[in-house]
Amino acid sequence: MNVIVFGAAGQLGKAFHRLLSEHQNLVVHYVTRTECDLSDPNAIAKVLKESQAKLIINAAAYTAVDQAETEKDLAYVVNAKAPEFMAQYAAQNDATLLHYSTDYVFDGKQSGFYLEDEACNPLGVYGKSKRAGELAIQKVFEKSDLGQYAILRTSWVYGEGGNFIRTILRLAKEREELKVINDQYGVPTSAHWLACISLELCLDSDYQIKSFPSGIYHAVPAGETTWYDLACQVVDSAIESGEILKLKREAIKAIPATDYPLPAPRPQNSRMGTLKLRTILAVKNAHDSSSYNQSAQVGTFPDWRKMVQKYVKDLSAK
């Protein structure tokens, strides 16, 4: 089966590369920004036609949240128009589209965990462009009886590449004190885990496409935290792994977001409920012992903390 991965150089794209490269019966086309200009519909059409993909994974996005405020047109082209072109190809060629969205489609003013069908009210250009991409995909498939899609909303992704956790580790070796926001809530998400869950949804044990209900799914691990608590966990995990740091846990100071103003507003609450996805995965794996993620078989997701601990331990071992 043919697969295409857009955004192959990003954290999620690299995670898919590691997973998909293991399977010889998959022909995978990895597409980076230099190989396909996502602002050019002709370029997208060309690589899709050449790939003859039955599974389209769009791990690409314009993710410069603050810069998007001044590059609105580019953000919308990459985050909304490009996914629409991919959806059109999938709908015309009976293919499956996996697309990734964000917690930034919400304004963060609600307490508790957001569900998939709750009202969106993105605060900045980045979130608005990602929401536009969601709506464009849904509109395309509403007009077609072919193909299927999953829009997976996630948050605070970390993997092979630049991210918050790596930044904290670097600063912890350079500084003796650090100030971190303590009133924005969300869930750190491993790119590797997210890729596993995604493939669990759409591939069977023979690595062939399996059907699932098209729609939006929230895909984050269990639990919740703040940027401050995450930073503390990272430092604790690094010390446990034998890292020598200038920064001590008690020297991490909690501050409100108002003390660290940024060009683009962020949602204060990014917590998202995952019952919809967990239920689908549990049902589909009830009679299947072959799984990309064993927790999917029993309808639970692992806690974010254990995955962060392992991630930091693995980084320390390199």
Side-chain angles (χ1 to χ4, degrees):
M1 183 181 69
N2 290 358
V3 181
I4 189 168
V5 180
F6 289 94
Q11 293 186 108
L12 184 55
K14 289 177 180 177
F16 275 115
H17 195 290
R18 288 180 58 190
L19 286 171
L20 295 173
S21 297
E22 299 173 359
H23 308 303
Q24 296 180 354
N25 56 339
L26 295 178
V27 178
V28 188
H29 306 261
Y30 298 100
V31 181
T32 64
R33 184 183 305 173
T34 57
E35 294 165 327
C36 179
D37 180 1
L38 293 182
S39 66
D40 182 356
N42 292 325
I44 297 172
K46 182 175 183 292
V47 296
L48 284 170
K49 184 177 180 180
E50 291 175 349
S51 72
Q52 294 293 297
K54 299 304 290 183
L55 173 59
I56 303 163
I57 300 174
N58 183 29
Y62 181 106
T63 58
V65 176
D66 293 321
Q67 198 170 332
E69 297 298 308
T70 55
E71 291 187 345
K72 180 178 179 180
D73 290 345
L74 181 58
Y76 269 87
V77 167
V78 175
N79 291 343
K81 294 304 295 183
E84 181 180 13
F85 297 140
M86 297 175 198
Q88 289 170 348
Y89 177 90
Q92 292 166 3
N93 292 274
D94 197 20
T96 295
L97 172 65
L98 296 182
H99 174 74
Y100 295 86
S101 193
T102 173
D103 52 308
Y104 278 52
V105 299
F106 299 113
D107 60 18
K109 296 179 181 179
Q110 173 180 302
S111 61
F113 288 73
Y114 281 96
L115 301 180
E116 287 85 350
D117 58 357
E118 294 192 81
C120 294
N121 184 34
L123 300 173
V125 171
Y126 168 68
K128 291 176 181 177
S129 66
K130 292 296 288 182
R131 178 55 178 161
E134 293 182 355
L135 294 172
I137 291 170
Q138 289 177 315
K139 186 175 181 180
V140 168
F141 279 95
E142 284 173 0
K143 298 178 180 179
S144 176
D145 294 326
L146 297 178
Q148 60 182 356
Y149 74 93
I151 298 169
L152 295 131
R153 290 180 184 150
T154 192
S155 65
W156 302 16
V157 175
Y158 61 91
E160 187 179 343
N163 57 62
F164 178 83
I165 295 175
R166 287 175 182 257
T167 298
I168 293 297
L169 287 173
R170 175 177 58 80
L171 295 176
K173 296 175 182 178
E174 301 172 353
R175 303 183 185 180
E176 295 181 351
E177 183 177 293
L178 202 60
K179 296 178 180 179
V180 184
I181 292 172
N182 195 35
D183 58 355
Q184 290 178 348
Y185 295 84
V187 186
T189 303
S190 159
H192 175 76
W193 175 84
L194 181 58
C196 287
I197 286 294
S198 302
L199 297 180
E200 186 68 45
L201 177 66
C202 68
L203 295 184
D204 62 22
S205 55
D206 294 321
Y207 312 112
Q208 298 300 308
I209 295 292
K210 64 182 179 182
S211 63
F212 57 85
S214 289
I216 295 174
Y217 295 89
H218 289 170
V220 294
E224 60 183 272
T225 189
T226 65
W227 293 113
Y228 167 78
D229 289 333
L230 175 56
C232 291
Q233 179 63 63
V234 170
V235 169
D236 285 345
S237 298
I239 292 173
E240 290 171 4
S241 298
E243 292 273 11
I244 299 175
L245 308 177
K246 285 186 178 182
L247 182 69
K248 306 302 180 185
R249 190 185 199 278
E250 55 270 21
I252 303 175
K253 306 299 181 182
I255 63 169
T258 52
D259 284 2
Y260 192 69
L262 293 166
R266 269 70 168 169
Q268 188 170 4
N269 174 26
S270 287
R271 292 172 287 188
M272 296 186 289
T274 61
L275 178 60
K276 181 179 177 181
L277 180 58
R278 287 186 285 118
T279 300
I280 291 294
L281 293 177
V283 169
K284 286 187 172 295
N285 288 301
H287 304 291
D288 184 1
S289 61
S290 175
S291 173
Y292 283 96
N293 191 294
Q294 293 300 314
S295 63
Q297 296 182 26
V298 294
T300 61
F301 282 171
D303 189 83
W304 69 268
R305 197 175 301 272
K306 291 183 178 180
M307 285 190 281
V308 167
Q309 289 172 337
K310 183 180 186 306
Y311 179 72
V312 173
K313 182 179 180 179
D314 290 344
L315 287 177
S316 300
K318 293 182 179 179

PDB file of all heavy atoms in Angstrom, residues 191-202:
ATOM      1  N   ALA A 191       5.189  12.806  20.301  1.00  0.00           N
ATOM      2  CA  ALA A 191       4.974  12.636  18.863  1.00  0.00           C
ATOM      3  C   ALA A 191       4.945  11.152  18.497  1.00  0.00           C
ATOM      4  O   ALA A 191       4.147  10.728  17.656  1.00  0.00           O
ATOM      5  CB  ALA A 191       6.061  13.364  18.076  1.00  0.00           C
ATOM      6  N   HIS A 192       5.800  10.374  19.121  1.00  0.00           N
ATOM      7  CA  HIS A 192       5.832   8.932  18.852  1.00  0.00           C
ATOM      8  C   HIS A 192       4.509   8.289  19.242  1.00  0.00           C
ATOM      9  O   HIS A 192       3.938   7.493  18.479  1.00  0.00           O
ATOM     10  CB  HIS A 192       6.982   8.279  19.609  1.00  0.00           C
ATOM     11  CG  HIS A 192       7.010   6.780  19.483  1.00  0.00           C
ATOM     12  ND1 HIS A 192       7.452   6.130  18.358  1.00  0.00           N
ATOM     13  CD2 HIS A 192       6.613   5.810  20.347  1.00  0.00           C
ATOM     14  CE1 HIS A 192       7.346   4.829  18.527  1.00  0.00           C
ATOM     15  NE2 HIS A 192       6.833   4.606  19.718  1.00  0.00           N
ATOM     16  N   TRP A 193       4.023   8.608  20.422  1.00  0.00           N
ATOM     17  CA  TRP A 193       2.748   8.058  20.879  1.00  0.00           C
ATOM     18  C   TRP A 193       1.614   8.490  19.966  1.00  0.00           C
ATOM     19  O   TRP A 193       0.739   7.691  19.609  1.00  0.00           O
ATOM     20  CB  TRP A 193       2.470   8.511  22.311  1.00  0.00           C
ATOM     21  CG  TRP A 193       1.126   8.103  22.824  1.00  0.00           C
ATOM     22  CD1 TRP A 193       0.778   6.901  23.380  1.00  0.00           C
ATOM     23  CD2 TRP A 193      -0.076   8.891  22.804  1.00  0.00           C
ATOM     24  NE1 TRP A 193      -0.566   6.895  23.709  1.00  0.00           N
ATOM     25  CE2 TRP A 193      -1.111   8.104  23.369  1.00  0.00           C
ATOM     26  CE3 TRP A 193      -0.371  10.181  22.378  1.00  0.00           C
ATOM     27  CZ2 TRP A 193      -2.412   8.574  23.509  1.00  0.00           C
ATOM     28  CZ3 TRP A 193      -1.671  10.652  22.510  1.00  0.00           C
ATOM     29  CH2 TRP A 193      -2.675   9.852  23.068  1.00  0.00           C
ATOM     30  N   LEU A 194       1.609   9.758  19.557  1.00  0.00           N
ATOM     31  CA  LEU A 194       0.564  10.271  18.678  1.00  0.00           C
ATOM     32  C   LEU A 194       0.557   9.546  17.339  1.00  0.00           C
ATOM     33  O   LEU A 194      -0.502   9.201  16.809  1.00  0.00           O
ATOM     34  CB  LEU A 194       0.756  11.774  18.470  1.00  0.00           C
ATOM     35  CG  LEU A 194      -0.266  12.489  17.586  1.00  0.00           C
ATOM     36  CD1 LEU A 194      -1.677  12.318  18.126  1.00  0.00           C
ATOM     37  CD2 LEU A 194       0.098  13.976  17.468  1.00  0.00           C
ATOM     38  N   ALA A 195       1.742   9.283  16.800  1.00  0.00           N
ATOM     39  CA  ALA A 195       1.838   8.529  15.547  1.00  0.00           C
ATOM     40  C   ALA A 195       1.309   7.108  15.734  1.00  0.00           C
ATOM     41  O   ALA A 195       0.606   6.576  14.868  1.00  0.00           O
ATOM     42  CB  ALA A 195       3.281   8.507  15.062  1.00  0.00           C
ATOM     43  N   CYS A 196       1.649   6.484  16.848  1.00  0.00           N
ATOM     44  CA  CYS A 196       1.157   5.127  17.134  1.00  0.00           C
ATOM     45  C   CYS A 196      -0.364   5.088  17.191  1.00  0.00           C
ATOM     46  O   CYS A 196      -1.006   4.213  16.584  1.00  0.00           O
ATOM     47  CB  CYS A 196       1.728   4.630  18.460  1.00  0.00           C
ATOM     48  SG  CYS A 196       3.464   4.197  18.451  1.00  0.00           S
ATOM     49  N   ILE A 197      -0.941   6.030  17.905  1.00  0.00           N
ATOM     50  CA  ILE A 197      -2.391   6.091  18.047  1.00  0.00           C
ATOM     51  C   ILE A 197      -3.057   6.324  16.694  1.00  0.00           C
ATOM     52  O   ILE A 197      -4.103   5.744  16.374  1.00  0.00           O
ATOM     53  CB  ILE A 197      -2.781   7.202  19.046  1.00  0.00           C
ATOM     54  CG1 ILE A 197      -2.461   6.767  20.469  1.00  0.00           C
ATOM     55  CG2 ILE A 197      -4.245   7.580  18.920  1.00  0.00           C
ATOM     56  CD1 ILE A 197      -3.293   5.601  20.967  1.00  0.00           C
ATOM     57  N   SER A 198      -2.442   7.163  15.885  1.00  0.00           N
ATOM     58  CA  SER A 198      -2.994   7.473  14.568  1.00  0.00           C
ATOM     59  C   SER A 198      -3.046   6.229  13.688  1.00  0.00           C
ATOM     60  O   SER A 198      -4.050   5.961  13.009  1.00  0.00           O
ATOM     61  CB  SER A 198      -2.142   8.546  13.888  1.00  0.00           C
ATOM     62  OG  SER A 198      -2.076   9.719  14.659  1.00  0.00           O
ATOM     63  N   LEU A 199      -1.957   5.470  13.680  1.00  0.00           N
ATOM     64  CA  LEU A 199      -1.913   4.252  12.870  1.00  0.00           C
ATOM     65  C   LEU A 199      -2.845   3.190  13.432  1.00  0.00           C
ATOM     66  O   LEU A 199      -3.418   2.392  12.686  1.00  0.00           O
ATOM     67  CB  LEU A 199      -0.483   3.732  12.792  1.00  0.00           C
ATOM     68  CG  LEU A 199       0.522   4.664  12.104  1.00  0.00           C
ATOM     69  CD1 LEU A 199       1.902   4.043  12.082  1.00  0.00           C
ATOM     70  CD2 LEU A 199       0.063   5.007  10.688  1.00  0.00           C
ATOM     71  N   GLU A 200      -2.997   3.190  14.740  1.00  0.00           N
ATOM     72  CA  GLU A 200      -3.935   2.255  15.373  1.00  0.00           C
ATOM     73  C   GLU A 200      -5.349   2.497  14.864  1.00  0.00           C
ATOM     74  O   GLU A 200      -6.130   1.557  14.671  1.00  0.00           O
ATOM     75  CB  GLU A 200      -3.894   2.440  16.891  1.00  0.00           C
ATOM     76  CG  GLU A 200      -4.701   1.441  17.675  1.00  0.00           C
ATOM     77  CD  GLU A 200      -4.111   0.054  17.602  1.00  0.00           C
ATOM     78  OE1 GLU A 200      -2.884  -0.091  17.743  1.00  0.00           O
ATOM     79  OE2 GLU A 200      -4.887  -0.886  17.385  1.00  0.00           O
ATOM     80  N   LEU A 201      -5.663   3.746  14.631  1.00  0.00           N
ATOM     81  CA  LEU A 201      -7.002   4.099  14.183  1.00  0.00           C
ATOM     82  C   LEU A 201      -7.283   3.630  12.762  1.00  0.00           C
ATOM     83  O   LEU A 201      -8.388   3.170  12.460  1.00  0.00           O
ATOM     84  CB  LEU A 201      -7.191   5.626  14.267  1.00  0.00           C
ATOM     85  CG  LEU A 201      -8.528   6.185  13.776  1.00  0.00           C
ATOM     86  CD1 LEU A 201      -9.674   5.711  14.674  1.00  0.00           C
ATOM     87  CD2 LEU A 201      -8.476   7.707  13.722  1.00  0.00           C
ATOM     88  N   CYS A 202      -6.277   3.744  11.884  1.00  0.00           N
ATOM     89  CA  CYS A 202      -6.578   3.574  10.453  1.00  0.00           C
ATOM     90  C   CYS A 202      -5.954   2.348   9.781  1.00  0.00           C
ATOM     91  O   CYS A 202      -6.278   2.061   8.627  1.00  0.00           O
ATOM     92  CB  CYS A 202      -6.146   4.830   9.682  1.00  0.00           C
ATOM     93  SG  CYS A 202      -4.364   5.086   9.603  1.00  0.00           S
TER      94      CYS A 202
END
